[in-house]
Amino acid sequence: GTGGEPEPNQPNQQMSIVRLGTITRSSSATRFQRWLATATRLSQVKPEAGAQLEALVLRGDEKSDLMCVNMMCEHVGGPCACKLARTLSRVPNLRRLEIPGHGLEFLPEALAELTKLEHLDVSYNRLTDLSMVGRLPRLRTLRADGNALAALPTELAMLAGSLGELSLRDNQFEVEPPVLASLREASPEVNIDLEGNACVVHAPR
């Protein structure tokens, strides 16, 4: 009714945050994010609390979070997946990872250890390879818009049966990657979005 709490399965357009020390618990716009223990900065991920964390949301406006300060690293002064890798090794129960807009050129090996991950957003980076993603057995949503992807690995076929949404808008696909046909055959309900790629040809109006 008017003024009441939203129903459990209805979208809530406002994100409410209840702080629990260095970690937050969020109820957000989609039922998939509802009540996930969430960190929005790497500094919030403490070793003693990492196992409690279910969502890590690092927006591109916080670029300093992934900026390398190691003078011995070839990525010093720029985005570095090594900082992300150290954090991911502390959060074995992560269900949601959002790292859009950081300029990352590759995903760390530690990502493949997140076997409970269900939602991954790596949009608007500089990625050319998604091989690591095929090792995430529970992945339901993958968003990789605005990267430099021109091909997809056959490993993505391993996500058939779990993956329900795959967004690959605004990449560099000249032809549709063959693995997508395998995904559609195994999971006819999967929603694949290739808008903004050369392989998508619209009929003239």
Side-chain angles (χ1 to χ4, degrees):
T2 303
E5 292 295 323
E7 294 297 324
N9 289 330
Q10 289 181 345
N12 179 358
Q13 297 304 317
Q14 300 295 322
M15 177 178 286
S16 59
I17 302 294
V18 181
R19 296 191 178 280
L20 298 176
T22 57
I23 295 176
T24 60
R25 196 169 283 272
S26 67
S27 176
S28 68
T30 67
R31 62 183 180 273
F32 302 122
Q33 286 178 281
R34 194 177 297 275
W35 303 117
L36 295 184
T38 303
T40 56
R41 297 296 302 269
L42 291 185
S43 59
Q44 294 176 327
V45 185
K46 306 298 183 182
E48 65 274 12
Q52 302 173 32
L53 197 69
E54 297 172 286
L56 179 59
V57 180
L58 303 177
R59 297 298 181 182
D61 54 354
E62 297 289 353
K63 294 188 188 302
S64 59
D65 248 10
L66 296 182
M67 184 173 294
C68 183
V69 294
N70 182 358
M71 298 302 294
M72 302 299 292
C73 178
E74 61 179 308
H75 300 290
V76 64
C80 183
C82 297
K83 289 184 70 174
L84 179 62
R86 287 192 293 272
T87 298
L88 296 185
S89 67
R90 301 173 182 169
V91 289
N93 296 314
L94 208 65
R95 292 170 55 192
R96 187 178 203 96
L97 176 62
E98 299 183 19
I99 47 173
H102 285 279
L104 293 172
E105 296 181 357
F106 64 94
L107 296 172
E109 186 78 23
L111 177 67
E113 302 302 317
L114 301 178
T115 56
K116 297 181 180 180
L117 198 68
E118 298 176 1
H119 306 279
L120 176 63
D121 186 350
V122 294
S123 299
Y124 303 103
N125 284 286
R126 300 173 186 167
L127 302 176
T128 59
D129 181 39
L130 293 178
S131 298
M132 209 73 64
V133 176
R135 295 158 61 181
L136 301 172
R138 297 188 185 180
L139 199 65
R140 296 162 57 183
T141 302
L142 171 60
R143 295 189 178 94
D145 304 331
N147 280 282
L149 299 167
L152 291 177
T154 56
E155 288 90 339
L156 283 188
M158 298 172 66
L159 301 179
S162 65
L163 195 65
E165 180 182 342
L166 174 59
S167 187
L168 298 165
R169 300 172 68 97
D170 302 321
N171 276 282
Q172 299 177 13
F173 298 112
E174 297 288 338
V175 297
E176 182 171 306
V179 69
L180 296 184
S182 300
L183 276 175
R184 289 192 185 97
E185 182 177 356
S187 303
E189 70 283 358
V190 66
N191 179 25
I192 300 174
D193 190 349
L194 287 166
E195 282 293 327
N197 288 282
C199 64
V200 177
V201 179
H202 295 284
R205 294 182 179 180

